[in-house]
Amino acid sequence: LQAISQYFLKCARDVDMNTGTAMGFAIIPAIIGDPIQAVNIARKLDSQGVHAKPIIYPAVRDQAARIRFFICSEHTTQMIDQAMEAWCVAMSEL
């Protein structure tokens, strides 16, 4: 779990995902800010088979919306690579 979480964090930062102060544990945020964009990005990810959840106010402060990726030990590097590709596609469609 630690190794795949660290791999996810490295890949996320390589594609300029704002992961805040994430340290590479099992839950890694992508800080978006705008709640509507966070929900839209999460939907686009879901349509590509990447299940990440939008977290919006009141769970986080207003304009601190994020998408949380939940990493588990069953994830493979190929799955993480696919998630990063889906992220790049979703971000390019904004």
Side-chain angles (χ1 to χ4, degrees):
L1 178 58
Q2 289 175 348
I4 199 68
S5 294
Q6 288 294 318
Y7 182 77
F8 182 97
L9 184 60
K10 180 200 172 303
C11 291
R13 290 183 174 158
D14 286 348
V15 297
D16 295 324
M17 184 186 295
N18 179 357
T19 57
T21 60
M23 298 178 70
F25 299 117
I27 300 172
I28 299 174
I31 300 168
I32 306 300
D34 182 84
I36 293 171
Q37 282 187 341
V39 170
N40 287 336
I41 293 167
R43 284 183 182 158
K44 289 176 191 239
L45 291 171
D46 191 58
S47 73
Q48 296 182 66
V50 177
H51 303 290
K53 301 299 175 199
I55 309 298
I56 61 174
Y57 180 84
V60 295
R61 64 181 166 76
D62 194 32
Q63 296 304 308
R66 61 202 63 211
I67 297 170
R68 284 193 181 145
F69 292 88
F70 299 87
I71 312 303
C72 75
S73 62
E74 300 297 313
H75 285 121
T76 65
T77 56
Q78 292 82 11
M79 293 167 132
I80 302 303
D81 293 343
Q82 289 171 345
M84 292 302 122
E85 288 177 28
W87 172 263
C88 290
V89 168
M91 294 306 289
S92 71
E93 292 176 355
L94 283 181

Coordinates of all heavy atoms in Angstrom, one line a residue:
L1 N 0.8 -1.2 0.0 CA 0.0 0.0 0.0 C 0.9 1.3 0.0 O 0.6 2.2 -0.7 CB -1.0 0.0 1.2 CG -1.8 1.2 1.3 CD1 -2.7 1.4 0.1 CD2 -2.7 1.1 2.6
Q2 N 1.9 1.2 0.8 CA 2.8 2.4 0.9 C 3.4 2.7 -0.5 O 3.5 3.8 -1.0 CB 3.8 2.3 2.0 CG 3.3 2.4 3.3 CD 4.3 2.1 4.4 OE1 5.4 1.6 4.1 NE2 4.0 2.4 5.6
A3 N 3.9 1.6 -1.1 CA 4.6 1.8 -2.4 C 3.7 2.3 -3.5 O 4.1 3.2 -4.2 CB 5.2 0.4 -2.8
I4 N 2.5 1.7 -3.6 CA 1.6 2.2 -4.7 C 1.1 3.6 -4.4 O 0.8 4.4 -5.3 CB 0.5 1.1 -4.9 CG1 -0.2 1.4 -6.3 CG2 -0.6 1.2 -3.8 CD1 0.7 1.0 -7.4
S5 N 0.9 3.9 -3.1 CA 0.5 5.3 -2.7 C 1.5 6.3 -3.1 O 1.3 7.4 -3.6 CB 0.1 5.4 -1.3 OG -1.0 4.6 -1.0
Q6 N 2.8 5.9 -2.8 CA 3.9 6.8 -3.2 C 4.0 7.0 -4.7 O 4.3 8.0 -5.2 CB 5.2 6.3 -2.6 CG 5.4 6.4 -1.1 CD 5.4 7.9 -0.7 OE1 6.1 8.7 -1.4 NE2 4.7 8.2 0.3
Y7 N 3.7 5.9 -5.4 CA 3.8 5.9 -6.9 C 2.7 6.8 -7.4 O 2.9 7.7 -8.3 CB 3.6 4.5 -7.5 CG 3.6 4.5 -9.0 CD1 4.8 4.6 -9.7 CD2 2.5 4.3 -9.7 CE1 4.9 4.5 -11.0 CE2 2.5 4.3 -11.1 CZ 3.7 4.4 -11.8 OH 3.8 4.4 -13.1
F8 N 1.5 6.7 -6.8 CA 0.4 7.6 -7.2 C 0.8 9.1 -7.0 O 0.6 9.9 -7.9 CB -0.9 7.3 -6.5 CG -2.1 8.1 -6.9 CD1 -3.0 7.7 -7.8 CD2 -2.2 9.4 -6.4 CE1 -4.1 8.4 -8.2 CE2 -3.3 10.2 -6.8 CZ -4.2 9.7 -7.7
L9 N 1.3 9.4 -5.8 CA 1.6 10.8 -5.5 C 2.7 11.3 -6.5 O 2.6 12.4 -7.0 CB 2.1 10.9 -4.1 CG 2.5 12.3 -3.6 CD1 1.2 13.2 -3.7 CD2 3.0 12.2 -2.2
K10 N 3.7 10.5 -6.8 CA 4.7 10.9 -7.8 C 4.1 11.2 -9.1 O 4.4 12.2 -9.7 CB 5.8 9.9 -7.9 CG 6.9 10.3 -8.9 CD 7.7 9.1 -9.3 CE 8.7 9.4 -10.4 NZ 8.1 10.0 -11.6
C11 N 3.3 10.3 -9.6 CA 2.6 10.5 -10.9 C 1.7 11.7 -10.9 O 1.7 12.5 -11.9 CB 1.8 9.2 -11.3 SG 2.8 7.8 -11.6
A12 N 1.0 11.9 -9.8 CA 0.1 13.0 -9.7 C 0.9 14.3 -9.8 O 0.5 15.3 -10.5 CB -0.7 13.0 -8.4
R13 N 1.9 14.4 -9.1 CA 2.7 15.6 -9.2 C 3.4 15.8 -10.5 O 3.6 16.9 -11.0 CB 3.8 15.6 -8.0 CG 3.0 15.8 -6.7 CD 4.0 15.9 -5.5 NE 3.2 16.2 -4.3 CZ 3.6 15.9 -3.1 NH1 4.8 15.3 -2.9 NH2 2.8 16.2 -2.0
D14 N 3.7 14.7 -11.2 CA 4.3 14.8 -12.5 C 3.4 15.4 -13.5 O 3.8 16.0 -14.5 CB 4.8 13.4 -13.0 CG 6.0 12.9 -12.3 OD1 6.7 13.7 -11.6 OD2 6.3 11.7 -12.5
V15 N 2.0 15.2 -13.3 CA 1.0 15.8 -14.2 C 0.5 17.1 -13.7 O -0.6 17.6 -14.1 CB -0.1 14.8 -14.6 CG1 0.5 13.6 -15.3 CG2 -0.9 14.4 -13.4
D16 N 1.2 17.7 -12.7 CA 0.8 19.0 -12.1 C -0.5 19.0 -11.3 O -1.2 20.0 -11.3 CB 0.8 20.1 -13.1 CG 2.2 20.4 -13.7 OD1 3.2 20.3 -12.9 OD2 2.3 20.7 -14.9
M17 N -0.9 17.8 -10.8 CA -2.1 17.8 -9.9 C -1.7 18.4 -8.6 O -0.6 18.1 -8.0 CB -2.5 16.3 -9.7 CG -3.7 16.1 -8.9 SD -4.0 14.4 -8.4 CE -4.3 13.6 -10.0
N18 N -2.5 19.3 -8.1 CA -2.3 20.0 -6.8 C -2.7 19.0 -5.7 O -3.9 18.9 -5.4 CB -3.1 21.3 -6.7 CG -2.9 22.0 -5.4 OD1 -2.2 21.5 -4.5 ND2 -3.5 23.2 -5.3
T19 N -1.7 18.4 -5.1 CA -2.0 17.4 -4.1 C -1.8 18.0 -2.7 O -1.8 17.3 -1.7 CB -1.1 16.2 -4.2 OG1 0.3 16.6 -4.2 CG2 -1.4 15.4 -5.5
G20 N -1.7 19.3 -2.6 CA -1.5 20.0 -1.3 C -0.3 19.4 -0.5 O 0.8 19.3 -1.1
T21 N -0.6 19.1 0.7 CA 0.5 18.6 1.6 C 0.5 17.1 1.7 O 1.0 16.5 2.6 CB 0.3 19.2 3.0 OG1 -1.0 18.8 3.5 CG2 0.5 20.7 3.0
A22 N -0.2 16.4 0.7 CA -0.2 15.0 0.7 C 1.2 14.4 0.9 O 2.1 14.9 0.3 CB -0.9 14.4 -0.5
M23 N 1.2 13.3 1.6 CA 2.5 12.6 1.9 C 2.6 11.3 1.3 O 3.5 10.5 1.5 CB 2.8 12.6 3.4 CG 2.9 14.0 4.0 SD 3.1 14.0 5.8 CE 4.8 13.3 5.8
G24 N 1.5 10.9 0.5 CA 1.6 9.6 -0.2 C 1.0 8.5 0.6 O 1.5 7.3 0.5
F25 N 0.0 8.8 1.4 CA -0.7 7.7 2.1 C -1.9 7.3 1.3 O -2.1 7.7 0.1 CB -1.1 8.2 3.5 CG 0.1 8.5 4.4 CD1 0.3 9.8 4.8 CD2 1.1 7.6 4.7 CE1 1.4 10.1 5.6 CE2 2.2 7.9 5.4 CZ 2.4 9.2 5.9
A26 N -2.8 6.5 1.8 CA -3.9 5.9 1.1 C -4.9 6.8 0.5 O -5.6 6.5 -0.4 CB -4.5 4.8 1.9
I27 N -5.0 8.0 1.0 CA -6.0 9.0 0.5 C -5.2 10.2 0.1 O -4.5 10.8 0.8 CB -7.0 9.4 1.6 CG1 -7.8 8.2 2.1 CG2 -8.0 10.5 1.1 CD1 -8.7 8.4 3.3
I28 N -5.4 10.5 -1.2 CA -4.6 11.6 -1.8 C -5.6 12.6 -2.5 O -6.4 12.2 -3.3 CB -3.6 11.1 -2.8 CG1 -2.6 10.2 -2.1 CG2 -2.9 12.2 -3.5 CD1 -1.6 9.5 -3.0
P29 N -5.5 13.8 -2.1 CA -6.5 14.8 -2.6 C -5.9 15.5 -3.9 O -4.7 15.6 -4.1 CB -6.6 15.9 -1.5 CG -5.2 15.9 -0.9 CD -4.8 14.4 -1.0
A30 N -6.8 15.9 -4.7 CA -6.5 16.8 -5.8 C -7.3 18.0 -5.6 O -8.5 18.0 -5.7 CB -6.9 16.2 -7.2
I31 N -6.6 19.1 -5.2 CA -7.3 20.3 -4.8 C -7.7 21.1 -6.0 O -6.9 21.4 -6.8 CB -6.4 21.1 -3.8 CG1 -6.1 20.3 -2.6 CG2 -7.1 22.4 -3.4 CD1 -5.0 20.8 -1.7
I32 N -9.0 21.3 -6.1 CA -9.6 22.0 -7.3 C -10.0 23.4 -6.9 O -9.7 24.4 -7.7 CB -10.8 21.2 -7.8 CG1 -10.5 19.8 -8.1 CG2 -11.4 21.9 -9.0 CD1 -9.4 19.6 -9.1
G33 N -10.6 23.6 -5.8 CA -11.0 25.0 -5.4 C -12.5 25.1 -5.6 O -13.3 25.1 -4.7
D34 N -12.9 25.2 -6.9 CA -14.3 25.4 -7.3 C -15.1 24.1 -7.2 O -14.7 23.1 -7.8 CB -14.4 25.9 -8.7 CG -15.8 26.2 -9.2 OD1 -16.3 27.3 -8.9 OD2 -16.4 25.3 -9.8
P35 N -16.2 24.2 -6.4 CA -16.9 22.9 -6.2 C -17.6 22.4 -7.4 O -17.7 21.2 -7.6 CB -18.0 23.3 -5.1 CG -18.0 24.8 -5.1 CD -16.7 25.3 -5.6
I36 N -18.1 23.2 -8.3 CA -18.7 22.8 -9.5 C -17.7 22.1 -10.4 O -18.0 21.0 -11.0 CB -19.4 23.9 -10.3 CG1 -20.6 24.4 -9.4 CG2 -19.9 23.5 -11.6 CD1 -21.2 25.7 -9.9
Q37 N -16.5 22.6 -10.5 CA -15.5 22.0 -11.3 C -15.1 20.6 -10.7 O -14.8 19.7 -11.4 CB -14.2 22.9 -11.4 CG -14.4 24.0 -12.4 CD -13.1 24.7 -12.6 OE1 -12.2 24.7 -11.8 NE2 -13.0 25.4 -13.8
A38 N -15.0 20.6 -9.4 CA -14.6 19.3 -8.7 C -15.6 18.2 -9.0 O -15.2 17.1 -9.3 CB -14.5 19.5 -7.2
V39 N -16.9 18.6 -9.0 CA -17.9 17.6 -9.3 C -17.8 17.2 -10.7 O -17.9 16.0 -11.1 CB -19.3 18.1 -8.9 CG1 -20.4 17.2 -9.5 CG2 -19.5 18.3 -7.4
N40 N -17.7 18.1 -11.6 CA -17.6 17.8 -13.1 C -16.3 16.9 -13.4 O -16.4 16.0 -14.2 CB -17.5 19.1 -13.9 CG -18.9 19.8 -14.0 OD1 -19.9 19.2 -13.8 ND2 -18.8 21.1 -14.2
I41 N -15.2 17.2 -12.8 CA -14.0 16.4 -13.0 C -14.2 15.0 -12.5 O -13.9 14.0 -13.1 CB -12.8 17.1 -12.3 CG1 -12.4 18.4 -13.0 CG2 -11.6 16.1 -12.3 CD1 -11.5 19.3 -12.3
A42 N -14.8 14.9 -11.3 CA -15.1 13.6 -10.7 C -16.0 12.8 -11.6 O -15.8 11.6 -11.8 CB -15.7 13.7 -9.3
R43 N -17.0 13.4 -12.2 CA -17.9 12.7 -13.2 C -17.1 12.3 -14.4 O -17.4 11.1 -14.9 CB -19.0 13.6 -13.6 CG -20.1 13.8 -12.5 CD -21.2 14.6 -13.0 NE -22.2 14.8 -11.9 CZ -23.1 15.8 -11.8 NH1 -23.1 16.7 -12.8 NH2 -23.9 15.9 -10.8
K44 N -16.3 13.1 -14.9 CA -15.5 12.7 -16.1 C -14.6 11.6 -15.8 O -14.4 10.6 -16.6 CB -14.7 13.9 -16.6 CG -15.5 15.0 -17.3 CD -14.8 16.2 -17.7 CE -15.7 17.3 -18.0 NZ -15.5 17.8 -19.4
L45 N -13.9 11.6 -14.6 CA -13.1 10.5 -14.2 C -13.9 9.2 -14.1 O -13.5 8.1 -14.6 CB -12.4 10.8 -12.8 CG -11.4 11.9 -12.9 CD1 -10.9 12.2 -11.4 CD2 -10.2 11.5 -13.7
D46 N -15.1 9.3 -13.5 CA -15.9 8.1 -13.3 C -16.3 7.5 -14.7 O -16.3 6.3 -14.8 CB -17.2 8.5 -12.5 CG -17.9 7.3 -12.1 OD1 -17.4 6.4 -11.4 OD2 -19.1 7.2 -12.4
S47 N -16.6 8.4 -15.6 CA -17.0 7.9 -16.9 C -15.8 7.2 -17.6 O -16.0 6.4 -18.6 CB -17.5 9.1 -17.8 OG -16.4 9.9 -18.2
Q48 N -14.6 7.4 -17.1 CA -13.4 6.7 -17.7 C -13.0 5.6 -16.8 O -11.9 5.0 -16.9 CB -12.3 7.7 -17.9 CG -12.6 8.8 -18.9 CD -11.4 9.7 -19.1 OE1 -10.4 9.3 -19.6 NE2 -11.6 10.9 -18.7
G49 N -13.8 5.2 -15.8 CA -13.5 4.1 -14.9 C -12.6 4.4 -13.7 O -12.2 3.5 -13.1
V50 N -12.4 5.7 -13.4 CA -11.6 6.0 -12.3 C -12.6 6.6 -11.2 O -13.3 7.6 -11.4 CB -10.6 7.1 -12.6 CG1 -9.9 7.6 -11.4 CG2 -9.7 6.6 -13.7
H51 N -12.7 5.9 -10.1 CA -13.6 6.2 -9.0 C -12.9 7.1 -8.0 O -12.1 6.6 -7.2 CB -14.2 5.0 -8.4 CG -14.9 4.1 -9.5 ND1 -16.1 4.5 -10.1 CD2 -14.5 3.0 -10.0 CE1 -16.4 3.6 -11.0 NE2 -15.5 2.6 -11.0
A52 N -13.2 8.4 -8.1 CA -12.6 9.3 -7.1 C -13.8 10.2 -6.7 O -14.7 10.5 -7.5 CB -11.5 10.2 -7.7
K53 N -13.8 10.6 -5.5 CA -15.0 11.3 -4.9 C -14.7 12.8 -4.8 O -13.7 13.2 -4.2 CB -15.4 10.7 -3.6 CG -15.7 9.3 -3.7 CD -16.9 9.0 -4.6 CE -17.2 7.5 -4.7 NZ -18.0 7.3 -5.9
P54 N -15.7 13.6 -5.2 CA -15.6 15.1 -4.9 C -15.9 15.4 -3.5 O -16.9 14.8 -2.9 CB -16.6 15.7 -5.9 CG -17.6 14.6 -6.1 CD -16.9 13.3 -6.0
I55 N -15.1 16.2 -2.9 CA -15.4 16.6 -1.5 C -15.6 18.2 -1.5 O -14.7 18.9 -1.9 CB -14.2 16.3 -0.6 CG1 -13.8 14.8 -0.7 CG2 -14.5 16.7 0.9 CD1 -14.8 13.8 -0.3
I56 N -16.8 18.6 -1.2 CA -17.1 20.0 -1.2 C -17.7 20.5 0.1 O -17.9 19.7 1.0 CB -18.2 20.3 -2.4 CG1 -19.5 19.5 -2.1 CG2 -17.6 19.9 -3.7 CD1 -20.6 19.8 -3.1
Y57 N -17.9 21.8 0.2 CA -18.5 22.4 1.4 C -19.8 21.7 1.7 O -20.6 21.4 0.8 CB -18.8 23.9 1.1 CG -19.4 24.7 2.3 CD1 -18.6 25.2 3.3 CD2 -20.7 24.8 2.3 CE1 -19.1 25.8 4.3 CE2 -21.3 25.5 3.4 CZ -20.5 26.0 4.4 OH -21.0 26.6 5.5
P58 N -20.1 21.4 3.0 CA -19.4 21.8 4.2 C -18.3 20.8 4.7 O -17.8 21.0 5.8 CB -20.6 21.9 5.2 CG -21.5 20.8 4.8 CD -21.4 20.7 3.3
A59 N -18.0 19.8 3.9 CA -17.0 18.9 4.4 C -15.6 19.5 4.4 O -14.7 19.2 5.2 CB -16.9 17.6 3.5
V60 N -15.4 20.5 3.5 CA -14.2 21.3 3.4 C -14.7 22.8 3.3 O -15.8 23.0 3.0 CB -13.3 21.0 2.3 CG1 -12.7 19.6 2.4 CG2 -14.0 21.1 0.9
R61 N -13.8 23.7 3.6 CA -14.2 25.1 3.6 C -14.6 25.5 2.2 O -14.1 24.9 1.2 CB -13.1 26.0 4.2 CG -11.8 26.1 3.5 CD -10.8 27.0 4.2 NE -9.5 26.8 3.7 CZ -9.0 27.2 2.5 NH1 -9.8 27.9 1.7 NH2 -7.8 26.9 2.1
D62 N -15.3 26.6 2.1 CA -15.8 27.0 0.8 C -14.6 27.4 -0.1 O -13.6 27.9 0.4 CB -16.7 28.3 1.0 CG -17.4 28.6 -0.3 OD1 -17.8 27.7 -1.1 OD2 -17.7 29.8 -0.5
Q63 N -14.7 27.0 -1.4 CA -13.6 27.2 -2.4 C -12.4 26.4 -2.1 O -11.3 26.7 -2.5 CB -13.3 28.7 -2.5 CG -14.4 29.5 -3.1 CD -15.0 29.0 -4.4 OE1 -14.2 28.8 -5.3 NE2 -16.3 28.8 -4.5
A64 N -12.5 25.3 -1.3 CA -11.4 24.4 -1.1 C -11.8 23.0 -1.5 O -11.3 22.0 -1.0 CB -11.0 24.4 0.4
A65 N -12.7 23.0 -2.5 CA -13.2 21.7 -3.0 C -12.0 20.8 -3.6 O -11.0 21.4 -4.0 CB -14.2 21.9 -4.1
R66 N -12.2 19.6 -3.5 CA -11.1 18.7 -3.9 C -11.7 17.3 -4.4 O -12.9 17.1 -4.1 CB -10.1 18.4 -2.8 CG -10.8 17.8 -1.5 CD -10.0 18.0 -0.3 NE -9.9 19.4 0.0 CZ -8.9 20.0 0.6 NH1 -7.9 19.3 1.0 NH2 -8.9 21.3 0.8
I67 N -10.9 16.6 -5.0 CA -11.3 15.2 -5.3 C -10.4 14.3 -4.6 O -9.2 14.5 -4.5 CB -11.1 15.0 -6.8 CG1 -12.1 15.9 -7.6 CG2 -11.4 13.5 -7.2 CD1 -11.9 15.9 -9.1
R68 N -10.9 13.3 -3.9 CA -10.1 12.4 -3.1 C -10.0 11.1 -3.9 O -11.0 10.5 -4.3 CB -10.7 12.1 -1.7 CG -10.4 13.3 -0.8 CD -10.7 13.0 0.6 NE -10.5 14.1 1.4 CZ -11.2 14.5 2.5 NH1 -12.2 13.7 2.9 NH2 -10.9 15.6 3.2
F69 N -8.7 10.7 -4.0 CA -8.4 9.4 -4.6 C -8.1 8.4 -3.4 O -7.3 8.8 -2.6 CB -7.2 9.5 -5.5 CG -7.4 10.3 -6.8 CD1 -7.3 11.7 -6.8 CD2 -7.9 9.6 -7.9 CE1 -7.5 12.4 -7.9 CE2 -8.1 10.4 -9.1 CZ -7.9 11.8 -9.1
F70 N -8.7 7.3 -3.4 CA -8.5 6.3 -2.4 C -7.7 5.2 -2.9 O -8.2 4.4 -3.8 CB -9.9 5.8 -1.9 CG -10.7 6.9 -1.3 CD1 -11.6 7.7 -2.1 CD2 -10.6 7.2 0.1 CE1 -12.3 8.7 -1.5 CE2 -11.4 8.2 0.6 CZ -12.2 9.0 -0.2
I71 N -6.5 5.0 -2.5 CA -5.6 4.1 -3.0 C -5.7 2.8 -2.1 O -5.7 2.9 -0.9 CB -4.1 4.6 -3.0 CG1 -4.1 6.0 -3.6 CG2 -3.2 3.6 -3.7 CD1 -4.6 6.1 -5.0
C72 N -5.6 1.6 -2.7 CA -5.6 0.4 -1.9 C -4.5 -0.5 -2.4 O -3.9 -0.3 -3.5 CB -6.9 -0.3 -2.0 SG -7.3 -1.2 -3.5
S73 N -4.2 -1.5 -1.7 CA -3.0 -2.4 -2.0 C -3.3 -3.2 -3.3 O -2.4 -3.8 -3.9 CB -2.7 -3.3 -0.8 OG -3.8 -4.1 -0.6
E74 N -4.5 -3.3 -3.7 CA -4.9 -4.0 -4.9 C -4.6 -3.2 -6.2 O -4.6 -3.8 -7.3 CB -6.4 -4.4 -4.9 CG -6.7 -5.3 -3.7 CD -6.0 -6.6 -3.7 OE1 -6.0 -7.3 -4.8 OE2 -5.4 -7.0 -2.7
H75 N -4.4 -1.9 -6.1 CA -4.1 -1.1 -7.3 C -2.7 -1.5 -7.8 O -1.8 -1.8 -7.1 CB -4.1 0.4 -6.9 CG -5.5 0.9 -6.8 ND1 -6.0 1.5 -5.6 CD2 -6.6 0.9 -7.6 CE1 -7.2 1.9 -5.8 NE2 -7.6 1.5 -7.0
T76 N -2.6 -1.4 -9.1 CA -1.4 -1.7 -9.8 C -0.8 -0.4 -10.4 O -1.6 0.6 -10.5 CB -1.6 -2.7 -10.9 OG1 -2.4 -2.1 -11.9 CG2 -2.2 -4.0 -10.4
T77 N 0.4 -0.4 -10.8 CA 1.0 0.7 -11.4 C 0.3 1.0 -12.8 O 0.1 2.2 -13.1 CB 2.5 0.6 -11.7 OG1 2.7 -0.6 -12.5 CG2 3.3 0.5 -10.4
Q78 N -0.2 0.0 -13.4 CA -1.0 0.2 -14.7 C -2.3 0.9 -14.4 O -2.7 1.8 -15.2 CB -1.2 -1.1 -15.4 CG 0.0 -1.8 -16.0 CD 0.8 -2.6 -14.9 OE1 0.3 -2.8 -13.8 NE2 2.0 -3.0 -15.3
M79 N -2.9 0.6 -13.3 CA -4.2 1.3 -12.9 C -3.9 2.7 -12.6 O -4.7 3.6 -13.0 CB -4.8 0.6 -11.7 CG -5.3 -0.8 -12.0 SD -5.7 -1.7 -10.5 CE -7.3 -2.3 -10.9
I80 N -2.8 3.0 -11.9 CA -2.5 4.4 -11.6 C -2.2 5.1 -12.8 O -2.6 6.3 -13.0 CB -1.3 4.4 -10.6 CG1 -1.6 3.7 -9.3 CG2 -0.8 5.9 -10.3 CD1 -2.8 4.1 -8.5
D81 N -1.4 4.5 -13.8 CA -1.1 5.2 -15.0 C -2.4 5.5 -15.8 O -2.5 6.6 -16.4 CB -0.2 4.3 -15.9 CG 1.2 4.1 -15.3 OD1 1.6 4.9 -14.4 OD2 1.9 3.2 -15.7
Q82 N -3.4 4.6 -15.8 CA -4.6 4.8 -16.4 C -5.4 6.0 -15.8 O -6.0 6.8 -16.4 CB -5.5 3.6 -16.4 CG -5.0 2.5 -17.4 CD -5.7 1.2 -17.2 OE1 -6.4 0.9 -16.2 NE2 -5.5 0.3 -18.2
A83 N -5.3 6.0 -14.4 CA -6.0 7.1 -13.7 C -5.3 8.5 -14.1 O -6.1 9.5 -14.2 CB -5.9 6.9 -12.2
M84 N -4.0 8.5 -14.2 CA -3.4 9.7 -14.6 C -3.8 10.2 -16.0 O -4.0 11.4 -16.3 CB -1.8 9.6 -14.5 CG -1.3 9.5 -13.1 SD -1.8 10.8 -12.0 CE -2.7 9.9 -10.7
E85 N -3.9 9.2 -16.9 CA -4.3 9.5 -18.3 C -5.8 10.1 -18.2 O -6.1 11.1 -18.9 CB -4.3 8.3 -19.1 CG -2.9 7.9 -19.5 CD -2.9 6.6 -20.3 OE1 -3.8 6.3 -21.1 OE2 -1.9 5.9 -20.2
A86 N -6.6 9.5 -17.4 CA -8.0 10.0 -17.3 C -8.0 11.4 -16.7 O -8.8 12.2 -17.1 CB -8.8 9.0 -16.4
W87 N -7.1 11.6 -15.7 CA -7.0 12.9 -15.1 C -6.7 14.0 -16.2 O -7.3 15.0 -16.2 CB -6.0 12.9 -14.0 CG -5.7 14.3 -13.4 CD1 -4.7 15.1 -13.8 CD2 -6.5 15.0 -12.5 NE1 -4.7 16.2 -13.1 CE2 -5.8 16.2 -12.3 CE3 -7.6 14.7 -11.8 CZ2 -6.3 17.2 -11.4 CZ3 -8.1 15.7 -10.9 CH2 -7.5 16.9 -10.7
C88 N -5.7 13.7 -17.0 CA -5.2 14.6 -18.0 C -6.3 14.9 -19.0 O -6.5 16.1 -19.4 CB -4.0 14.1 -18.7 SG -2.5 14.1 -17.6
V89 N -7.1 13.9 -19.4 CA -8.2 14.1 -20.3 C -9.3 15.0 -19.7 O -9.7 15.9 -20.3 CB -8.8 12.7 -20.7 CG1 -10.1 12.9 -21.5 CG2 -7.8 11.9 -21.6
A90 N -9.6 14.6 -18.4 CA -10.6 15.4 -17.7 C -10.2 16.9 -17.6 O -11.0 17.8 -17.8 CB -10.9 14.8 -16.4
M91 N -9.0 17.1 -17.3 CA -8.5 18.5 -17.1 C -8.5 19.2 -18.4 O -8.7 20.4 -18.5 CB -7.1 18.5 -16.4 CG -7.1 18.0 -15.0 SD -8.3 18.8 -13.9 CE -7.5 20.4 -13.7
S92 N -8.1 18.5 -19.5 CA -8.1 19.2 -20.8 C -9.5 19.6 -21.3 O -9.6 20.5 -22.1 CB -7.3 18.3 -21.8 OG -8.2 17.2 -22.2
E93 N -10.5 18.9 -20.8 CA -11.9 19.2 -21.2 C -12.5 20.3 -20.4 O -13.6 20.7 -20.7 CB -12.7 17.9 -21.1 CG -12.3 16.9 -22.1 CD -13.0 15.6 -22.0 OE1 -13.8 15.4 -21.1 OE2 -12.8 14.7 -22.8
L94 N -11.8 20.9 -19.4 CA -12.4 21.9 -18.6 C -12.6 23.2 -19.5 O -11.8 23.5 -20.3 CB -11.6 22.2 -17.4 CG -11.8 21.3 -16.3 CD1 -10.9 21.7 -15.1 CD2 -13.2 21.2 -15.8

